[in-house]
Amino acid sequence: MSCPRQISLWLKKLKMAEKKSHTHKFVVCSNIFIRKGGKYLMIRRSADRKWMPNHVHTVGGKMNLDENPYDCALRELKEEAGITAKNIQLEVAYHEIAPYKKESCNWLVFYFSGEYKSGRVKNKISEGELVWLTPRELLKSKLHSSIKFVIKHVLSKKTGPVFGTLYYDDKNTVIKKKSKLNICEK
């Protein structure tokens, strides 16, 4: 049997094994809500952005292979906003089922919260502008649907971490009837 043929058979067996195993492909992302003086630091995305133009989102991004979700949130905060945080805690962990139909993977997204510690907030970033919003302003903002789904829990001091599985429609909106949240009480 030729080498290319052997490789082809091996790849077929590998693909069949992947279908049967519990191995999944994920994009892992960490985001962080930072509090200071009763306000939260958020990104107001520019109108010219391809993904979620004119929406308000947390500071955050994709996790590097050599870090954990907590370290990712701190790195993204320093890179994007130029600041550091203290008293950080996990607020939300989501398993997002095919949020982007063109991609063939699910997302695992972590949301943390913390208090401003030090540094000077950058004015402009590539995604848009960094703004401080009160909880009321935040609730009235045009938010990404995954944040809309849990923002009241993040703002509340009564609940612990929220774990969820989110399903999306073709307009990238959470399908509430299919999606599930598990709220840990404090």
Side-chain angles (χ1 to χ4, degrees):
M1 188 179 295
S2 69
C3 188
R5 174 98 171 112
Q6 286 176 327
I7 292 171
S8 176
L9 288 173
W10 179 79
L11 288 173
K12 279 184 184 180
K13 286 180 184 178
L14 182 63
K15 285 181 183 177
M16 287 174 59
E18 283 179 351
K19 288 180 183 177
K20 293 179 183 177
S21 75
H22 294 342
T23 302
H24 307 278
K25 292 181 182 178
F26 285 104
V27 173
V28 182
C29 182
S30 286
N31 301 295
I32 189 163
F33 290 89
I34 296 298
R35 292 179 300 278
K36 181 183 178 188
K39 294 184 176 185
Y40 288 84
L41 181 64
M42 303 296 287
I43 298 172
R44 181 170 288 129
R45 297 180 59 78
S46 301
D48 63 349
R49 299 302 294 181
K50 180 181 170 187
W51 181 78
M52 305 304 285
N54 296 314
H55 280 68
V56 171
H57 201 278
T58 55
V59 172
K62 294 179 182 111
M63 190 172 79
N64 292 332
L65 289 174
D66 64 343
E67 63 187 356
N68 63 55
Y70 180 90
D71 291 335
C72 175
L74 295 181
R75 175 185 53 78
E76 289 287 346
L77 182 63
K78 186 69 175 167
E79 285 178 7
E80 290 186 1
I83 64 171
T84 60
K86 61 184 179 180
N87 302 327
I88 297 159
Q89 59 188 18
L90 177 65
E91 296 287 350
V92 179
Y94 275 147
H95 176 200
E96 295 186 337
I97 308 296
Y100 306 103
K101 303 301 179 203
K102 293 179 184 176
E103 296 178 4
S104 62
C105 60
N106 295 338
W107 285 54
L108 192 55
V109 183
F110 297 88
Y111 286 96
F112 294 89
S113 70
E115 297 171 24
Y116 168 85
K117 181 179 178 183
S118 66
R120 187 175 179 169
V121 176
K122 296 177 181 179
N123 291 332
K124 287 271 187 183
I125 58 173
S126 61
E127 290 89 0
E129 64 177 333
L130 291 163
V131 294
W132 291 98
L133 300 175
T134 65
R136 187 177 194 174
E137 292 168 327
L138 192 51
L139 290 168
K140 289 182 177 184
S141 296
K142 188 176 182 181
L143 299 169
H144 183 279
S145 60
S146 67
I147 294 176
K148 270 190 223 178
F149 207 58
V150 294
I151 190 63
K152 290 179 183 174
H153 296 290
V154 173
L155 297 174
S156 170
K157 301 289 183 208
K158 295 178 184 175
T159 60
V162 174
F163 296 89
T165 304
L166 302 184
Y167 292 84
Y168 289 85
D169 63 18
D170 292 336
K171 295 179 183 174
N172 201 320
T173 302
V174 172
I175 303 169
K176 291 181 182 178
K177 288 182 180 178
K178 276 182 95 174
S179 299
K180 177 183 175 184
L181 289 181
N182 299 103
I183 302 164
C184 299
E185 299 299 325
K186 283 189 174 180

